[in-house]
Amino acid sequence: MPEARRKFLPGLAAALLLQQGVAYAFDVPPPGRLGEDRVTVDASLETMSFRTGSLDVNVTLAPLGSIYASGLRVRLGAGRSWYDFLANDAEGRIARGFGFEGNLLVGYSITTTRLNLVGLIGVASSETTDQGLNRADHGAKAVMSVFARPTDRTMAYASFSHSTIRTTSQMQVKFGTTMANGLQVGPEANLVWHRSYPWNASTSSWRVGVHLSSIRLGPWYFGVSGGWLRDRDLGDGHYIGTSIYGS
């Protein structure tokens, strides 16, 4: 393999991790909610160290009934990201990258009074520009998310996604306590890992922080989060984000 390409690939993998490392808004309704709505929208905007950020939007449809009842789900998602990455390990040279992803997923949701679970699978397409190198990729994507209320005063949320586009996976968890005004506060964690090339070891990016969720304004619920991150190539940093969910 040419030396320039061997040096560039680890940086490209790190860029993908930063691009994918998004603290998504809740993408499944809290359990116990009632209504006849068929569509929900969730979006998140995040900025991180290393001049990195992302904007993601999902629209989820329940075509055969209420979004708050068990049934078929269809989701259309789109995301935009911007990031720095380590282009040359030996020289410590940092490069700039941009990415866009769109996906169409279909699946099923199971809804109870204490737990909402959704599983989706479908197609995804991405376009990236890294250090002037343009690349388009297509593949499959799967998402599974669960929102639980173990008790009236506690919540737990977990989401796992996997894309065959350069084999990128993400796991996110949130726990919280519900305060008297309905706000939810607690810790959160996020792990993104990537394995694309046989000669390149798995690369990971970790984040740990706190979230404040369920800030209500009409039919919309807002959240904020922030904390510490560690990237294998770029080192330690921080992140802060905001999210919105509504129907």
Side-chain angles (χ1 to χ4, degrees):
M1 178 191 304
E3 182 68 19
R5 178 174 172 82
R6 185 162 54 245
K7 291 180 179 179
F8 178 69
L9 289 178
L12 178 57
L16 289 169
L17 294 173
L18 292 172
Q19 175 187 341
Q20 295 289 334
V22 179
Y24 293 114
F26 295 131
D27 62 343
V28 58
R33 191 170 295 178
L34 301 175
E36 298 301 323
D37 299 306
R38 293 192 174 211
V39 178
T40 61
V41 178
D42 67 88
S44 62
L45 174 65
E46 187 172 76
T47 181
M48 293 175 274
S49 300
F50 325 121
R51 296 194 304 162
T52 299
S54 60
L55 172 64
D56 286 79
V57 179
N58 291 315
V59 178
T60 305
L61 169 68
L64 302 179
S66 169
I67 198 75
Y68 304 116
S70 299
L72 182 67
R73 298 291 184 267
V74 179
R75 174 175 296 173
L76 180 64
R80 177 69 172 171
S81 58
W82 50 97
Y83 44 86
D84 283 354
F85 66 97
L86 187 62
N88 188 300
D89 191 16
E91 300 175 1
R93 181 163 51 85
I94 303 298
R96 192 71 173 149
F98 303 89
F100 173 82
E101 179 182 309
N103 55 77
L104 177 62
L105 310 177
V106 179
Y108 195 85
S109 177
I110 299 174
T111 301
T112 71
T113 57
R114 289 288 183 186
L115 182 145
N116 279 1
L117 171 70
V118 63
L120 303 155
I121 190 169
V123 295
S125 179
S126 73
E127 295 182 4
T128 57
T129 302
D130 296 315
Q131 195 176 281
L133 175 65
N134 297 320
R135 177 168 176 171
D137 292 281
H138 309 281
K141 184 173 184 178
V143 176
M144 178 170 286
S145 300
V146 58
F147 199 143
R149 295 182 61 194
T151 70
D152 292 340
R153 306 293 295 177
T154 59
M155 60 77 64
Y157 171 83
S159 180
F160 172 79
S161 65
H162 176 78
S163 173
T164 62
I165 298 176
R166 306 177 204 178
T167 320
T168 303
S169 302
Q170 176 173 261
M171 171 70 78
Q172 179 186 4
V173 294
K174 295 175 182 277
F175 300 97
T177 299
T178 303
M179 297 183 287
N181 54 8
L183 298 180
Q184 297 169 334
V185 61
E188 68 174 16
N190 185 289
L191 170 65
V192 184
W193 66 97
H194 168 78
R195 191 178 187 88
S196 179
Y197 307 97
W199 53 87
N200 184 31
S202 294
T203 306
S204 63
S205 174
W206 292 80
R207 292 183 302 166
V208 179
V210 296
H211 71 95
L212 177 64
S213 305
S214 297
I215 305 170
R216 187 170 184 178
L217 182 60
W220 299 99
Y221 292 82
F222 295 85
V224 293
S225 63
W228 167 85
L229 69 86
R230 166 166 285 183
D231 178 79
R232 174 176 174 175
D233 290 321
L234 299 180
D236 296 340
H238 61 272
Y239 72 94
I240 185 170
T242 183
S243 60
I244 183 174
Y245 177 91
S247 57

PDB file of all heavy atoms in Angstrom, residues 1-14 85-93 131 199-200 233:
ATOM      1  N   MET A   1       0.845  -1.187   0.000  1.00  0.00           N
ATOM      2  CA  MET A   1       0.000   0.000   0.000  1.00  0.00           C
ATOM      3  C   MET A   1       0.886   1.244   0.000  1.00  0.00           C
ATOM      4  O   MET A   1       1.857   1.312   0.741  1.00  0.00           O
ATOM      5  CB  MET A   1      -0.874   0.036   1.262  1.00  0.00           C
ATOM      6  CG  MET A   1      -1.750   1.260   1.347  1.00  0.00           C
ATOM      7  SD  MET A   1      -2.503   1.387   2.978  1.00  0.00           S
ATOM      8  CE  MET A   1      -3.284  -0.218   3.010  1.00  0.00           C
ATOM      9  N   PRO A   2       0.585   2.280  -0.799  1.00  0.00           N
ATOM     10  CA  PRO A   2       1.395   3.488  -0.803  1.00  0.00           C
ATOM     11  C   PRO A   2       1.427   4.116   0.579  1.00  0.00           C
ATOM     12  O   PRO A   2       0.448   4.107   1.320  1.00  0.00           O
ATOM     13  CB  PRO A   2       0.673   4.390  -1.821  1.00  0.00           C
ATOM     14  CG  PRO A   2      -0.090   3.443  -2.692  1.00  0.00           C
ATOM     15  CD  PRO A   2      -0.470   2.319  -1.826  1.00  0.00           C
ATOM     16  N   GLU A   3       2.592   4.728   0.933  1.00  0.00           N
ATOM     17  CA  GLU A   3       2.764   5.311   2.261  1.00  0.00           C
ATOM     18  C   GLU A   3       1.753   6.415   2.526  1.00  0.00           C
ATOM     19  O   GLU A   3       1.193   6.524   3.624  1.00  0.00           O
ATOM     20  CB  GLU A   3       4.196   5.869   2.379  1.00  0.00           C
ATOM     21  CG  GLU A   3       4.503   6.470   3.748  1.00  0.00           C
ATOM     22  CD  GLU A   3       4.547   5.400   4.816  1.00  0.00           C
ATOM     23  OE1 GLU A   3       4.701   4.221   4.472  1.00  0.00           O
ATOM     24  OE2 GLU A   3       4.439   5.757   5.999  1.00  0.00           O
ATOM     25  N   ALA A   4       1.484   7.265   1.546  1.00  0.00           N
ATOM     26  CA  ALA A   4       0.542   8.368   1.745  1.00  0.00           C
ATOM     27  C   ALA A   4      -0.844   7.850   2.076  1.00  0.00           C
ATOM     28  O   ALA A   4      -1.538   8.374   2.939  1.00  0.00           O
ATOM     29  CB  ALA A   4       0.492   9.247   0.486  1.00  0.00           C
ATOM     30  N   ARG A   5      -1.255   6.791   1.409  1.00  0.00           N
ATOM     31  CA  ARG A   5      -2.578   6.230   1.674  1.00  0.00           C
ATOM     32  C   ARG A   5      -2.642   5.585   3.060  1.00  0.00           C
ATOM     33  O   ARG A   5      -3.622   5.715   3.770  1.00  0.00           O
ATOM     34  CB  ARG A   5      -2.923   5.186   0.601  1.00  0.00           C
ATOM     35  CG  ARG A   5      -4.267   4.517   0.839  1.00  0.00           C
ATOM     36  CD  ARG A   5      -4.627   3.608  -0.316  1.00  0.00           C
ATOM     37  NE  ARG A   5      -5.807   2.818  -0.020  1.00  0.00           N
ATOM     38  CZ  ARG A   5      -7.045   3.221  -0.136  1.00  0.00           C
ATOM     39  NH1 ARG A   5      -7.297   4.462  -0.483  1.00  0.00           N
ATOM     40  NH2 ARG A   5      -8.061   2.415   0.142  1.00  0.00           N
ATOM     41  N   ARG A   6      -1.547   4.912   3.459  1.00  0.00           N
ATOM     42  CA  ARG A   6      -1.523   4.267   4.764  1.00  0.00           C
ATOM     43  C   ARG A   6      -1.624   5.306   5.871  1.00  0.00           C
ATOM     44  O   ARG A   6      -2.257   5.097   6.893  1.00  0.00           O
ATOM     45  CB  ARG A   6      -0.237   3.448   4.903  1.00  0.00           C
ATOM     46  CG  ARG A   6      -0.194   2.650   6.186  1.00  0.00           C
ATOM     47  CD  ARG A   6       0.834   1.536   6.107  1.00  0.00           C
ATOM     48  NE  ARG A   6       2.161   2.021   5.739  1.00  0.00           N
ATOM     49  CZ  ARG A   6       2.780   1.695   4.602  1.00  0.00           C
ATOM     50  NH1 ARG A   6       2.206   0.924   3.712  1.00  0.00           N
ATOM     51  NH2 ARG A   6       3.990   2.165   4.355  1.00  0.00           N
ATOM     52  N   LYS A   7      -0.994   6.482   5.709  1.00  0.00           N
ATOM     53  CA  LYS A   7      -1.068   7.532   6.712  1.00  0.00           C
ATOM     54  C   LYS A   7      -2.439   8.181   6.735  1.00  0.00           C
ATOM     55  O   LYS A   7      -2.909   8.639   7.767  1.00  0.00           O
ATOM     56  CB  LYS A   7      -0.004   8.597   6.434  1.00  0.00           C
ATOM     57  CG  LYS A   7       1.420   8.113   6.673  1.00  0.00           C
ATOM     58  CD  LYS A   7       2.416   9.217   6.371  1.00  0.00           C
ATOM     59  CE  LYS A   7       3.846   8.755   6.635  1.00  0.00           C
ATOM     60  NZ  LYS A   7       4.831   9.823   6.330  1.00  0.00           N
ATOM     61  N   PHE A   8      -3.079   8.251   5.592  1.00  0.00           N
ATOM     62  CA  PHE A   8      -4.352   8.967   5.500  1.00  0.00           C
ATOM     63  C   PHE A   8      -5.508   8.168   6.077  1.00  0.00           C
ATOM     64  O   PHE A   8      -6.431   8.743   6.650  1.00  0.00           O
ATOM     65  CB  PHE A   8      -4.640   9.305   4.034  1.00  0.00           C
ATOM     66  CG  PHE A   8      -5.947  10.011   3.820  1.00  0.00           C
ATOM     67  CD1 PHE A   8      -6.125  11.307   4.262  1.00  0.00           C
ATOM     68  CD2 PHE A   8      -7.001   9.366   3.180  1.00  0.00           C
ATOM     69  CE1 PHE A   8      -7.325  11.964   4.056  1.00  0.00           C
ATOM     70  CE2 PHE A   8      -8.198  10.014   2.981  1.00  0.00           C
ATOM     71  CZ  PHE A   8      -8.357  11.319   3.412  1.00  0.00           C
ATOM     72  N   LEU A   9      -5.487   6.855   5.957  1.00  0.00           N
ATOM     73  CA  LEU A   9      -6.634   6.052   6.365  1.00  0.00           C
ATOM     74  C   LEU A   9      -6.993   6.174   7.839  1.00  0.00           C
ATOM     75  O   LEU A   9      -8.172   6.299   8.168  1.00  0.00           O
ATOM     76  CB  LEU A   9      -6.386   4.586   5.994  1.00  0.00           C
ATOM     77  CG  LEU A   9      -6.439   4.308   4.500  1.00  0.00           C
ATOM     78  CD1 LEU A   9      -6.122   2.837   4.244  1.00  0.00           C
ATOM     79  CD2 LEU A   9      -7.789   4.681   3.905  1.00  0.00           C
ATOM     80  N   PRO A  10      -6.038   6.145   8.800  1.00  0.00           N
ATOM     81  CA  PRO A  10      -6.430   6.314  10.189  1.00  0.00           C
ATOM     82  C   PRO A  10      -7.115   7.639  10.430  1.00  0.00           C
ATOM     83  O   PRO A  10      -8.071   7.736  11.191  1.00  0.00           O
ATOM     84  CB  PRO A  10      -5.101   6.200  10.951  1.00  0.00           C
ATOM     85  CG  PRO A  10      -4.214   5.413  10.053  1.00  0.00           C
ATOM     86  CD  PRO A  10      -4.608   5.812   8.665  1.00  0.00           C
ATOM     87  N   GLY A  11      -6.629   8.717   9.774  1.00  0.00           N
ATOM     88  CA  GLY A  11      -7.276  10.011   9.921  1.00  0.00           C
ATOM     89  C   GLY A  11      -8.671  10.004   9.348  1.00  0.00           C
ATOM     90  O   GLY A  11      -9.590  10.596   9.917  1.00  0.00           O
ATOM     91  N   LEU A  12      -8.856   9.323   8.241  1.00  0.00           N
ATOM     92  CA  LEU A  12     -10.185   9.226   7.643  1.00  0.00           C
ATOM     93  C   LEU A  12     -11.124   8.470   8.564  1.00  0.00           C
ATOM     94  O   LEU A  12     -12.288   8.846   8.726  1.00  0.00           O
ATOM     95  CB  LEU A  12     -10.091   8.523   6.292  1.00  0.00           C
ATOM     96  CG  LEU A  12     -11.413   8.304   5.539  1.00  0.00           C
ATOM     97  CD1 LEU A  12     -12.117   9.629   5.326  1.00  0.00           C
ATOM     98  CD2 LEU A  12     -11.158   7.606   4.221  1.00  0.00           C
ATOM     99  N   ALA A  13     -10.642   7.405   9.191  1.00  0.00           N
ATOM    100  CA  ALA A  13     -11.478   6.676  10.134  1.00  0.00           C
ATOM    101  C   ALA A  13     -11.883   7.556  11.297  1.00  0.00           C
ATOM    102  O   ALA A  13     -13.030   7.556  11.739  1.00  0.00           O
ATOM    103  CB  ALA A  13     -10.719   5.448  10.653  1.00  0.00           C
ATOM    104  N   ALA A  14     -10.949   8.349  11.821  1.00  0.00           N
ATOM    105  CA  ALA A  14     -11.279   9.259  12.914  1.00  0.00           C
ATOM    106  C   ALA A  14     -12.308  10.282  12.473  1.00  0.00           C
ATOM    107  O   ALA A  14     -13.221  10.642  13.228  1.00  0.00           O
ATOM    108  CB  ALA A  14     -10.009   9.968  13.390  1.00  0.00           C
ATOM    109  N   PHE A  85      -9.715  16.354  11.257  1.00  0.00           N
ATOM    110  CA  PHE A  85      -9.200  15.011  11.514  1.00  0.00           C
ATOM    111  C   PHE A  85      -7.699  14.964  11.254  1.00  0.00           C
ATOM    112  O   PHE A  85      -7.136  15.852  10.601  1.00  0.00           O
ATOM    113  CB  PHE A  85      -9.931  13.960  10.667  1.00  0.00           C
ATOM    114  CG  PHE A  85      -9.694  14.083   9.175  1.00  0.00           C
ATOM    115  CD1 PHE A  85      -8.740  13.311   8.552  1.00  0.00           C
ATOM    116  CD2 PHE A  85     -10.467  14.941   8.412  1.00  0.00           C
ATOM    117  CE1 PHE A  85      -8.534  13.401   7.175  1.00  0.00           C
ATOM    118  CE2 PHE A  85     -10.276  15.047   7.040  1.00  0.00           C
ATOM    119  CZ  PHE A  85      -9.303  14.278   6.430  1.00  0.00           C
ATOM    120  N   LEU A  86      -7.065  13.965  11.812  1.00  0.00           N
ATOM    121  CA  LEU A  86      -5.626  13.796  11.683  1.00  0.00           C
ATOM    122  C   LEU A  86      -5.316  13.174  10.330  1.00  0.00           C
ATOM    123  O   LEU A  86      -5.537  11.986  10.112  1.00  0.00           O
ATOM    124  CB  LEU A  86      -5.109  12.906  12.818  1.00  0.00           C
ATOM    125  CG  LEU A  86      -3.595  12.743  12.943  1.00  0.00           C
ATOM    126  CD1 LEU A  86      -2.938  14.092  13.220  1.00  0.00           C
ATOM    127  CD2 LEU A  86      -3.272  11.753  14.057  1.00  0.00           C
ATOM    128  N   ALA A  87      -4.795  13.985   9.410  1.00  0.00           N
ATOM    129  CA  ALA A  87      -4.533  13.520   8.050  1.00  0.00           C
ATOM    130  C   ALA A  87      -3.182  12.810   7.936  1.00  0.00           C
ATOM    131  O   ALA A  87      -3.020  11.936   7.084  1.00  0.00           O
ATOM    132  CB  ALA A  87      -4.583  14.688   7.076  1.00  0.00           C
ATOM    133  N   ASN A  88      -2.241  13.184   8.789  1.00  0.00           N
ATOM    134  CA  ASN A  88      -0.915  12.558   8.733  1.00  0.00           C
ATOM    135  C   ASN A  88      -0.406  12.397  10.157  1.00  0.00           C
ATOM    136  O   ASN A  88      -0.109  13.376  10.837  1.00  0.00           O
ATOM    137  CB  ASN A  88       0.041  13.411   7.904  1.00  0.00           C
ATOM    138  CG  ASN A  88       1.364  12.705   7.646  1.00  0.00           C
ATOM    139  OD1 ASN A  88       2.089  12.356   8.558  1.00  0.00           O
ATOM    140  ND2 ASN A  88       1.681  12.515   6.357  1.00  0.00           N
ATOM    141  N   ASP A  89      -0.315  11.155  10.609  1.00  0.00           N
ATOM    142  CA  ASP A  89       0.073  10.871  11.987  1.00  0.00           C
ATOM    143  C   ASP A  89       1.502  11.307  12.265  1.00  0.00           C
ATOM    144  O   ASP A  89       1.808  11.878  13.318  1.00  0.00           O
ATOM    145  CB  ASP A  89      -0.105   9.375  12.259  1.00  0.00           C
ATOM    146  CG  ASP A  89       0.011   9.042  13.730  1.00  0.00           C
ATOM    147  OD1 ASP A  89      -0.080   9.978  14.547  1.00  0.00           O
ATOM    148  OD2 ASP A  89       0.187   7.862  14.071  1.00  0.00           O
ATOM    149  N   ALA A  90       2.401  11.039  11.343  1.00  0.00           N
ATOM    150  CA  ALA A  90       3.812  11.342  11.561  1.00  0.00           C
ATOM    151  C   ALA A  90       4.051  12.848  11.663  1.00  0.00           C
ATOM    152  O   ALA A  90       4.836  13.308  12.499  1.00  0.00           O
ATOM    153  CB  ALA A  90       4.649  10.742  10.425  1.00  0.00           C
ATOM    154  N   GLU A  91       3.370  13.621  10.840  1.00  0.00           N
ATOM    155  CA  GLU A  91       3.558  15.068  10.834  1.00  0.00           C
ATOM    156  C   GLU A  91       2.593  15.790  11.767  1.00  0.00           C
ATOM    157  O   GLU A  91       2.765  16.984  12.032  1.00  0.00           O
ATOM    158  CB  GLU A  91       3.366  15.606   9.407  1.00  0.00           C
ATOM    159  CG  GLU A  91       4.344  15.024   8.393  1.00  0.00           C
ATOM    160  CD  GLU A  91       4.038  15.489   6.981  1.00  0.00           C
ATOM    161  OE1 GLU A  91       3.082  16.272   6.815  1.00  0.00           O
ATOM    162  OE2 GLU A  91       4.764  15.085   6.060  1.00  0.00           O
ATOM    163  N   GLY A  92       1.577  15.079  12.271  1.00  0.00           N
ATOM    164  CA  GLY A  92       0.573  15.732  13.107  1.00  0.00           C
ATOM    165  C   GLY A  92      -0.269  16.731  12.342  1.00  0.00           C
ATOM    166  O   GLY A  92      -0.798  17.684  12.925  1.00  0.00           O
ATOM    167  N   ARG A  93      -0.433  16.531  11.053  1.00  0.00           N
ATOM    168  CA  ARG A  93      -1.154  17.490  10.222  1.00  0.00           C
ATOM    169  C   ARG A  93      -2.664  17.263  10.306  1.00  0.00           C
ATOM    170  O   ARG A  93      -3.143  16.158  10.162  1.00  0.00           O
ATOM    171  CB  ARG A  93      -0.689  17.373   8.764  1.00  0.00           C
ATOM    172  CG  ARG A  93      -1.359  18.356   7.812  1.00  0.00           C
ATOM    173  CD  ARG A  93      -0.565  18.469   6.510  1.00  0.00           C
ATOM    174  NE  ARG A  93      -0.283  17.162   5.935  1.00  0.00           N
ATOM    175  CZ  ARG A  93      -1.135  16.501   5.134  1.00  0.00           C
ATOM    176  NH1 ARG A  93      -2.320  17.037   4.849  1.00  0.00           N
ATOM    177  NH2 ARG A  93      -0.801  15.334   4.623  1.00  0.00           N
ATOM    178  N   GLN A 131     -10.184  16.414   3.061  1.00  0.00           N
ATOM    179  CA  GLN A 131      -8.912  16.884   2.513  1.00  0.00           C
ATOM    180  C   GLN A 131      -8.978  17.002   0.993  1.00  0.00           C
ATOM    181  O   GLN A 131      -8.048  16.644   0.277  1.00  0.00           O
ATOM    182  CB  GLN A 131      -7.786  15.929   2.947  1.00  0.00           C
ATOM    183  CG  GLN A 131      -6.385  16.482   2.765  1.00  0.00           C
ATOM    184  CD  GLN A 131      -5.330  15.541   3.302  1.00  0.00           C
ATOM    185  OE1 GLN A 131      -5.095  15.474   4.483  1.00  0.00           O
ATOM    186  NE2 GLN A 131      -4.673  14.804   2.407  1.00  0.00           N
ATOM    187  N   TRP A 199      -6.335  -3.995   7.564  1.00  0.00           N
ATOM    188  CA  TRP A 199      -5.050  -3.590   8.112  1.00  0.00           C
ATOM    189  C   TRP A 199      -5.191  -2.449   9.121  1.00  0.00           C
ATOM    190  O   TRP A 199      -4.193  -1.966   9.645  1.00  0.00           O
ATOM    191  CB  TRP A 199      -4.128  -3.128   6.978  1.00  0.00           C
ATOM    192  CG  TRP A 199      -4.744  -2.072   6.117  1.00  0.00           C
ATOM    193  CD1 TRP A 199      -4.722  -0.724   6.321  1.00  0.00           C
ATOM    194  CD2 TRP A 199      -5.469  -2.280   4.910  1.00  0.00           C
ATOM    195  NE1 TRP A 199      -5.390  -0.080   5.334  1.00  0.00           N
ATOM    196  CE2 TRP A 199      -5.862  -1.009   4.441  1.00  0.00           C
ATOM    197  CE3 TRP A 199      -5.836  -3.425   4.179  1.00  0.00           C
ATOM    198  CZ2 TRP A 199      -6.608  -0.842   3.278  1.00  0.00           C
ATOM    199  CZ3 TRP A 199      -6.577  -3.251   3.029  1.00  0.00           C
ATOM    200  CH2 TRP A 199      -6.954  -1.987   2.581  1.00  0.00           C
ATOM    201  N   ASN A 200      -6.425  -2.003   9.387  1.00  0.00           N
ATOM    202  CA  ASN A 200      -6.620  -0.882  10.300  1.00  0.00           C
ATOM    203  C   ASN A 200      -7.377  -1.357  11.538  1.00  0.00           C
ATOM    204  O   ASN A 200      -8.487  -1.856  11.438  1.00  0.00           O
ATOM    205  CB  ASN A 200      -7.416   0.232   9.598  1.00  0.00           C
ATOM    206  CG  ASN A 200      -7.565   1.454  10.489  1.00  0.00           C
ATOM    207  OD1 ASN A 200      -6.705   1.734  11.305  1.00  0.00           O
ATOM    208  ND2 ASN A 200      -8.654   2.162  10.319  1.00  0.00           N
ATOM    209  N   ASP A 233      -7.329   9.634  18.000  1.00  0.00           N
ATOM    210  CA  ASP A 233      -6.277  10.345  17.287  1.00  0.00           C
ATOM    211  C   ASP A 233      -6.125  11.796  17.725  1.00  0.00           C
ATOM    212  O   ASP A 233      -5.013  12.309  17.786  1.00  0.00           O
ATOM    213  CB  ASP A 233      -6.547  10.302  15.778  1.00  0.00           C
ATOM    214  CG  ASP A 233      -6.349   8.918  15.197  1.00  0.00           C
ATOM    215  OD1 ASP A 233      -5.394   8.243  15.624  1.00  0.00           O
ATOM    216  OD2 ASP A 233      -7.149   8.513  14.338  1.00  0.00           O
TER     217      ASP A 233
END
